[in-house]
Amino acid sequence: KYAPAAVTIEKGKRLRLPALYLPIIERREIIALARVFLDSSGQKNPRLDEPKRTLGDPRGGAIQIGLVEGDHLNLAEGFEEAESVIAMHELPGCWSVNGTEQYARLSIPDHIRSITIYSQHGKAASAGVTKAEANLTANNRTVSIVLPPPGGDWNDARRAQI
């Protein structure tokens, strides 16, 4: 959801800035709210030290974009990447785990039998997936990893297409 005048605090000052509100859901319940504060061009607001802010504890949840089709779940690290892979691969949906360290904590529906992770390049992404292996493969789930083209993440690849 877009909020044209969301409230945040920066260096002791109360600010009203445009923001995206993204619910973080675990087992059909909102457990946290990701907020991305924007500038007038729709980019992350440079007036803030950290334009991405979360209310609540996101552990276990995901920003669930689109639909889960059958027993297959698509995952990406951030919501920007999730939106990009949906567009690039014509997916019905993709969940954003909001950080590679969250793969290990993600609450995965019991009916899921296969997962595709649209990952990123680099050690942090690889380490996050490796650390989460037991969680991701529980209940005999299979996991495949798809990397973006060299030189960037999925959002960079999508922007190059447009």
Side-chain angles (χ1 to χ4, degrees), residues 1-2 20-23 36 52 63-67 74-98 118 120 153-159 161-162:
K1 178 179 179 176
Y2 175 75
L20 290 178
Y21 286 163
L22 304 160
V36 182
K52 289 183 173 183
I63 297 170
Q64 299 178 7
I65 303 168
L67 303 171
N74 296 305
L75 299 175
E77 187 272 329
F79 83 92
E80 300 97 331
E81 287 84 11
E83 290 279 2
S84 293
V85 298
I86 287 170
M88 292 176 72
H89 297 281
E90 299 179 358
L91 302 175
C94 185
W95 289 10
S96 164
V97 297
N98 308 306
Y118 292 88
Q120 297 180 356
D153 62 20
W154 286 107
N155 198 34
D156 297 327
R158 174 67 177 144
R159 283 193 230 171
Q161 283 185 338
I162 303 176

Side-chain angles (χ1 to χ4, degrees), residues 12-67:
K13 290 186 177 182
R14 184 175 181 215
L15 303 173
R16 288 191 172 274
L17 301 168
L20 290 178
Y21 286 163
L22 304 160
I24 299 172
I25 299 168
E26 179 183 7
R27 300 194 187 281
R28 299 184 184 190
E29 292 194 26
I30 296 173
I31 60 167
L33 184 67
R35 302 171 301 154
V36 182
F37 290 92
L38 308 171
D39 64 14
S40 59
S41 68
Q43 301 300 309
K44 294 174 194 159
N45 197 310
R47 293 176 51 194
L48 302 176
D49 288 339
E50 181 52 59
K52 289 183 173 183
R53 299 175 180 200
T54 302
L55 295 172
D57 184 353
R59 289 179 290 188
I63 297 170
Q64 299 178 7
I65 303 168
L67 303 171

